[in-house]
Amino acid sequence: MRVLGIETSCDETGIAIYDDQVGLLANQLYSQVKLHADYGGVVPELASRDHIRKTIPLIKVALQQAGLTGSDIDAVAYTAGPGLIGALLVGATIGRSLAFAWRVPAIAIHHMEGHLLAPMLEENRPEFPFVALLVSGGHTQLINVMAIGQYQLLGESIDDAVGEAFDKTAKLLGLDYPGGPALSLMAQRGQVGRFVFPRPMIDRPGLDFSFSGLKTFAANTIRNNNMDQQTASDIARAFEDAVVDTLVIKCKRALEQTGIKRLVMAGGVSANRTLRAKMAESITKIGGQVFYARPEFCTDNGAMIALAGMIRLKNGVSDSLDITVKARWPLADLSPLTFTSLHKST
């Protein structure tokens, strides 16, 4: 079976085709970073219009890359939320229209479930249950993943998400949008220990996060120092180290509280090299394992949507022709599924 995946939740148009026997057959991605750079952030109306221009051409390219036609597709999966309503409507409308025309099931996918399952695109896949750290521009959550569709929220950010905090701090340092990756690159040149930022909420019980205070601390540090390139790098290093240490401490606490030894990191921030290295070192010391996808599957992409669609297709899930998308959509609202092997037995 083959599933076409469509991702249009924000500022990236992702199209992919997943085969349950072979794996990923095609993966196309168009980023709108240059379009939104002049505004310092995503402009929803511009994002929607660009998805309209790019989605159909990318689907054609993906089919050509896979050597397939519409008649070879067994289902169409598309992101139905959470995300920007206008952007979601583009993917949902195109996805349902193609499913109707090709007479195949249409499958609405939760964007964060796609991220959560992205590590299963790799050969080294986590087994259930596991704890998932979802870290992106819009989300910072710790989830107890008991099975597909069985998700328990353990903790989340009470203010800024990690990616949002990275971007805001990068802007304070004069870096262009999107600033998170640029800040991480700058941090590699920073001196450890020149500045020390607080590790928020680690002295409190529970698994919630708070990162807005780090942004304020960074702003005060920048204002109180004569800024040159090295000083900026040192501040970036202190900020990144504080974020990473906080995430590591909370993840260790989540594993200890649940008794689970497997941790999955997903979302755009999970591609951060420092986070990956420190998390692996820390979790390994307590006898645990860390799983994550390759960097191109950490940010928004069609591959994770096609994969999630395949799993739901194998569980007999399909949706009506009604076009419904959700700006907000808690993972806990999803229904439990019986996990099915991604590949056919030979």
Side-chain angles (χ1 to χ4, degrees), residues 278-291:
K278 288 191 175 182
M279 190 69 77
E281 179 183 8
S282 180
I283 300 304
T284 300
K285 284 182 178 179
I286 62 172
Q289 293 177 282
V290 180
F291 301 84

Side-chain angles (χ1 to χ4, degrees), residues 69-327:
T69 66
S71 62
D72 299 311
I73 300 299
D74 297 289
V76 179
Y78 59 91
T79 302
L84 303 176
I85 286 293
L88 290 168
L89 281 170
V90 176
T93 302
I94 292 174
R96 288 190 180 278
S97 299
L98 288 176
F100 178 77
W102 293 341
R103 299 178 183 274
V104 298
I107 305 173
I109 299 299
H110 192 293
H111 179 73
M112 299 313 296
E113 183 178 58
H115 277 302
L116 187 150
L117 298 176
M120 293 185 178
L121 290 162
E122 309 298 336
E123 291 186 6
N124 183 27
R125 299 169 181 159
E127 296 181 359
F128 298 99
F130 57 79
V131 171
L133 172 66
L134 298 180
V135 276
S136 66
H139 296 82
T140 303
Q141 297 180 326
L142 277 167
I143 308 288
N144 184 359
V145 181
M146 295 160 277
I148 301 291
Q150 289 186 263
Y151 308 122
Q152 177 191 8
L153 179 65
L154 300 174
E156 62 184 339
S157 178
I158 62 175
D159 42 55
D160 290 353
V162 172
E164 185 180 5
F166 264 100
D167 286 341
K168 288 180 177 179
T169 303
K171 188 174 183 179
L172 292 172
L173 289 169
L175 300 174
D176 293 334
Y177 172 85
L183 185 149
S184 294
L185 184 62
M186 176 182 284
Q188 295 178 21
R189 302 189 294 269
Q191 177 182 335
V192 178
R194 180 183 173 188
F195 299 101
V196 179
F197 282 26
R199 275 59 173 165
M201 295 185 69
I202 63 171
D203 57 344
R204 304 182 190 178
L207 296 169
D208 286 335
F209 303 89
S210 174
F211 295 104
S212 64
L214 281 179
K215 177 197 65 180
T216 303
F217 196 95
N220 292 335
T221 303
I222 292 168
R223 184 171 57 251
N224 295 331
N225 285 273
N226 295 321
M227 295 300 293
D228 54 29
Q229 187 173 7
Q230 187 58 51
T231 299
S233 298
D234 294 344
I235 291 174
R237 181 61 184 264
F239 174 82
E240 183 176 71
D241 284 347
V243 170
V244 168
D245 286 351
T246 301
L247 292 174
V248 169
I249 290 169
K250 293 285 186 172
C251 286
K252 285 178 62 179
R253 187 179 297 177
L255 293 181
E256 290 167 356
Q257 289 185 9
T258 61
I260 297 172
K261 294 296 184 180
R262 289 176 290 274
L263 176 75
V264 164
M265 295 199 304
V269 181
S270 69
N272 182 283
R273 293 180 181 178
T274 303
L275 176 60
R276 290 191 174 198
K278 288 191 175 182
M279 190 69 77
E281 179 183 8
S282 180
I283 300 304
T284 300
K285 284 182 178 179
I286 62 172
Q289 293 177 282
V290 180
F291 301 84
Y292 42 73
R294 69 196 79 169
E296 58 264 39
F297 294 149
C298 292
T299 54
D300 294 349
N301 63 89
M304 67 182 189
I305 303 304
L307 173 74
M310 177 61 73
I311 293 173
R312 291 190 166 269
L313 177 65
K314 287 193 166 192
N315 278 269
V317 175
S318 64
D319 294 279
S320 68
L321 289 176
D322 296 336
I323 298 175
T324 303
V325 296
K326 302 176 183 180

